[in-house]
Amino acid sequence: EAGVTQSPTHLIKTRGQQATLRCSPISGHTSVYWYQQALGLGLQFLLWYDEGEERNRGNFPPRFSGRQFPNYSSELNVNALELEDSALYLCASSLMGGLTDTQYFGPGTRLTVL
Amino acid sequence: DAKTTQPNSMESNEEEPVHLPCNHSTISGTDYIHWYRQLPSQGPEYVIHGLTSNVNNRMASLAIAEDRKSSTLILHRATLRDAAVYYCILSGAGSYQLTFGKGTKLSVIP
């Protein structure tokens, strides 16, 4: 069974541009989570989508946004890129979103902002 | 969210048991305790979770203190592949996302 996939693997942008990152969850999973792992800051929760709706968001500015499509895949958009947005962006999926649901992580997209 | 405290780093010899501690003194009655690990250059992977009772699976065991203010992840025989950062995380009602701390970096010595 295929795991969580993310594309692209690497993305290089310049300040002020927009970045779009994509995530395909494990088949049958309806919940998708986005996390940012910046150097020295650890893994921070960004967004949670379930059944096409945004369920929760972390402490990030509105220029971080996303959506979940009817096939449960998801997109993370980062507008007006800043240097500090350089990080590994991880997507995870779970069966339905719950206290004991295991989250399965993808390999991540490495975003570099120059 | 309730916080967890873990040692920054630990070392273990290969094929010996490893006990990774986690303190969570402000845990609430409905918080689950999760452990994930992150191998170098990979996304995190699930290890184990529990609520009150000790838990075992093929990867590890989770020992939860009676007052639930601490827990210990036990790797029965460390291998080189177990070298990773181990995260102890609490999840409670309404907070289905994972709140990662700094974790414990485990080094395994051949």
Side-chain angles (χ1 to χ4, degrees), chain A residues 33 35 37 40-45 48 56-57 88 90 97-108, chain B residues 30-32 34 36 38 41-46 49 87 91-102:
Chain A
Y33 307 79
Y35 295 85
Q37 188 168 32
L41 289 178
L43 273 145
Q44 294 184 282
F45 165 71
W48 169 33
N56 204 0
R57 68 178 291 130
L88 180 67
L90 291 157
L99 284 180
T100 61
D101 245 15
T102 297
Q103 293 188 21
Y104 297 85
F105 285 79
Chain B
T30 55
D31 284 343
Y32 279 81
H34 302 258
Y36 281 74
Q38 188 172 20
S41 303
Q42 293 186 28
E45 66 173 347
Y46 168 80
H49 75 273
Y87 297 98
S91 70
S95 62
Y96 301 155
Q97 69 271 8
L98 301 174
T99 302
F100 288 81
K102 299 227 183 282

Side-chain angles (χ1 to χ4, degrees), chain B residues 9-40:
Chain B
S9 62
M10 290 184 65
E11 266 187 6
S12 172
N13 293 318
E14 197 177 7
E15 298 191 5
E16 288 189 356
V18 184
H19 290 234
L20 296 162
C22 181
N23 286 319
H24 28 78
S25 58
T26 59
I27 191 170
S28 73
T30 55
D31 284 343
Y32 279 81
I33 303 158
H34 302 258
W35 284 83
Y36 281 74
R37 71 181 185 181
Q38 188 172 20
L39 279 65

Side-chain angles (χ1 to χ4, degrees), chain A residues 3-7 22-26 32 71-74 91 93:
Chain A
V4 175
T5 58
Q6 293 185 244
S7 63
R22 296 180 177 84
C23 171
S24 290
I26 290 172
V32 170
N71 67 353
Y72 303 113
S73 67
S74 177
C91 169
S93 74

Side-chain angles (χ1 to χ4, degrees), chain A:
Chain A
E1 183 183 303
V4 175
T5 58
Q6 293 185 244
S7 63
T9 306
H10 294 91
L11 190 57
I12 300 175
K13 295 284 186 179
T14 56
R15 280 178 62 190
Q17 284 188 313
Q18 179 197 33
T20 299
L21 289 64
R22 296 180 177 84
C23 171
S24 290
I26 290 172
S27 177
H29 286 192
T30 63
S31 267
V32 170
Y33 307 79
W34 287 95
Y35 295 85
Q36 182 196 65
Q37 188 168 32
L39 208 59
L41 289 178
L43 273 145
Q44 294 184 282
F45 165 71
L46 261 167
L47 289 159
W48 169 33
Y49 291 95
D50 184 59
E51 295 283 0
E53 302 279 334
E54 181 181 302
R55 301 296 184 185
N56 204 0
R57 68 178 291 130
N59 190 23
F60 281 84
R63 58 190 186 82
F64 286 84
S65 65
R67 53 182 171 164
Q68 187 177 34
F69 299 100
N71 67 353
Y72 303 113
S73 67
S74 177
E75 201 172 82
L76 174 69
N77 294 296
V78 188
N79 293 321
L81 283 165
E82 299 179 3
L83 296 177
E84 51 265 35
D85 296 334
S86 294
L88 180 67
Y89 289 84
L90 291 157
C91 169
S93 74
S94 72
L95 204 53
M96 63 182 73
L99 284 180
T100 61
D101 245 15
T102 297
Q103 293 188 21
Y104 297 85
F105 285 79
T109 293
R110 172 75 60 187
L111 173 64
T112 302
V113 182
L114 302 175

